[in-house]
Structures are given as structure tokens and as C-alpha cells.
Amino acid sequence: MYIRGVGDIIYFLQQLHPLEQALLAGIFTWGMTALGAASVFFTREVSRKVLDSMLGFTAGVMIAASYWSLLAPAIEMSEGRSIPAWLPAVLGFLLGGLFLRGIDKILPHLQFGSATEAAEGLKTSWRRNTLLVLAVTLHNIPEGLAVGVAFGAAASGYMYSLPAAIALTTGIGIQNFPEGLVVSVPLRREGMSCFKSFNYGQASAIVEPIASVIGVAAVMLVRPILPYALAFAAGAMIFVVVEEIIPESQHGGNAPLATIGTMIGFSVMMVLDVAFG
């Protein structure tokens, strides 16, 4: 079977169970990370300006996806119920942030450019490279959850469509390409071999297929939580953006470029969601 366009992709996915859809979507977003990480085979150095612009782009995509693909549908789904329409979105959003904060406090990780002694989470003897990759893995958990919840929402047939889930997956996949590069190239610069740098880079996103399956399963098992789950994924992503990605993109002295990257990323995701959602 040859997939020639969006219509064919939608038809192909419609033949699959939602769990299979979410798994394929998670594999796609992981694959885009691996593709970005493969850049290390062609270059050992990427300028800080490019890295900061890419981080800004990633932040913009995640912010736009949080609203257009997750929060807005959550509010729309809650209209006409016995509770205020904003309540599920607010509760889910805040719980998503608290969930990521909890993982942030527990999971040992280290931001790029920081000294090993500045590692966050529980104290551990893990190597610096492992801690660096775990920091990016932390970013990818909410992305995988968002993809899974989106396909679960599409399967429910209630105010959410399969094209909307595909648009969200596409946007996250696009921003995962620079994310893979941002992981692998600094590791290569620190003296790690090309293959190991690539392996660490792609491994940072292996959690996405797992999280996507968990997200779709949760929504399918307990459908009334759907608006809460959408907002939960949004809250988790916004926490990562504000706490990690934007500060990292801004402190390298390229704040204007990073900000432009954020606006471009936001615009790309907004276009994807409005055009296909």
C-alpha cells in the first residue's frame, strides 16, 4: 500500500485500533527525534545561535499545541454540563503541571551546560551523559501523553477528529527533529563517539511511544476523564516549556533569535491544527 497524501494517511489509520494508532504516532515522533540525532554523523558542531533558535521553535510548537490541540477542545467538550466549562480544563491543566513537577523532583537529570553538581532530582551516581539524556526524556513524557490522549479523543468521536490528532502528532514530530539534534551534537562536542551520541539522542524519545499508549488507554478506559486528560497533557507540556526549554533558549545570549523561533514554532503548529483539525 502506498500512502500518497493526508487522505490516505487518515484512511489507513481508520482501519487500525486506537491503541495501534497511538503506538504508530509515538513511533513517528520518536523517529523524528532519531532523525535529528542522526545529524551528528554529518557535523560535530552546531552554533549556539542555531541551537537556541531550535529550542525556541520547540517551545513555540508545544505552547500552540497545548492550546489549539488540547485546552480549547477540553473547554469545548465541557460545555453544556452541570459544571462550569472551564473547570475540567483548569483542574487538568494544574494537575499536569504538578505531575511534571513531581517527576522533576524525583527523576535525576541535568540540563545541558550545567555542572554535574547541579543535577536535579534524587541524588545518584549515574554518569553525566545519562543525566543529560534524562533531562530531555523528561520533556518527551508529556509529548507522548498528548499524542495518546489525542487519538483517544478521536476514537471517542466527541468533538475531536482523527485529522486533529494527526495534526498534533505532525507538529510534535516536527519539533522533535531539532530536539534530537540538540541532544546529540552537544554530546559529540563533549567527546562522545558519533554512534553513542546518536544512540543517546534517539533514546531520549523512546518514552514517547510508551506514553502515547498509556494516554490512549487511559482515555478509552475512562472516557468521562477526556477533557481532564487533554488539559492534563497541556499542563505537563507548558510546565516543561516554562521551566526548562524557554530558560535554556534564552540564557545563551541569543534571546531575540530564540523568541523569533518560538513565534515561528507557534505559527507552524497553529496552521497545522487549524488547517487539518
Side-chain angles (χ1 to χ4, degrees), residues 84-106:
W86 50 264
L87 185 59
V90 170
L91 286 179
F93 185 80
L94 294 177
L95 285 173
L98 289 173
F99 171 74
L100 255 291
R101 176 57 179 163
I103 294 181
D104 195 44
K105 293 286 287 184
I106 296 171

Side-chain angles (χ1 to χ4, degrees), residues 100-125:
L100 255 291
R101 176 57 179 163
I103 294 181
D104 195 44
K105 293 286 287 184
I106 296 171
L107 182 70
H109 62 284
L110 177 67
Q111 299 304 319
F112 283 97
S114 300
T116 305
E117 296 74 23
E120 302 176 58
L122 298 176
K123 298 299 181 183
T124 179
S125 59

Side-chain angles (χ1 to χ4, degrees), residues 6-108:
V6 175
D8 290 338
I9 294 174
I10 294 173
Y11 176 78
F12 171 72
L13 290 174
Q14 284 174 336
Q15 314 310 309
L16 303 178
H17 189 276
L19 283 170
E20 296 173 316
Q21 294 173 352
L23 178 60
L24 282 178
I27 291 173
F28 166 74
T29 56
W30 162 79
M32 291 296 289
T33 304
L35 193 61
S39 303
V40 78
F41 292 110
F42 307 100
T43 181
R44 182 170 182 163
E45 187 68 43
V46 176
S47 73
R48 181 71 201 199
K49 288 183 178 181
V50 172
L51 290 176
D52 288 346
S53 299
M54 288 181 171
L55 284 169
F57 179 86
T58 295
V61 170
M62 292 178 71
I63 293 170
S66 296
Y67 175 72
W68 295 98
S69 299
L70 299 169
L71 280 175
I75 294 171
E76 187 177 2
M77 289 176 185
S78 303
E79 292 177 349
R81 297 189 179 188
S82 57
I83 58 175
W86 50 264
L87 185 59
V90 170
L91 286 179
F93 185 80
L94 294 177
L95 285 173
L98 289 173
F99 171 74
L100 255 291
R101 176 57 179 163
I103 294 181
D104 195 44
K105 293 286 287 184
I106 296 171
L107 182 70

Side-chain angles (χ1 to χ4, degrees), residues 30 33 62 99-100 103-104 107-112 126 129-145 175-176 179-180 182-183 187 199-211 236-237 240 244-245:
W30 162 79
T33 304
M62 292 178 71
F99 171 74
L100 255 291
I103 294 181
D104 195 44
L107 182 70
H109 62 284
L110 177 67
Q111 299 304 319
F112 283 97
W126 291 348
N129 293 333
T130 302
L131 295 173
L132 290 170
V133 172
L134 284 175
V136 182
T137 301
L138 183 64
H139 299 174
N140 289 324
I141 292 174
E143 294 173 13
L145 286 175
Q175 63 93 26
N176 272 5
E179 206 167 76
V182 166
V183 177
L187 291 176
N199 198 39
Y200 274 108
Q202 63 81 26
S204 68
I206 200 67
V207 69
E208 291 201 17
I210 300 170
M237 287 210 294
V240 168
E244 303 285 357
I245 299 179

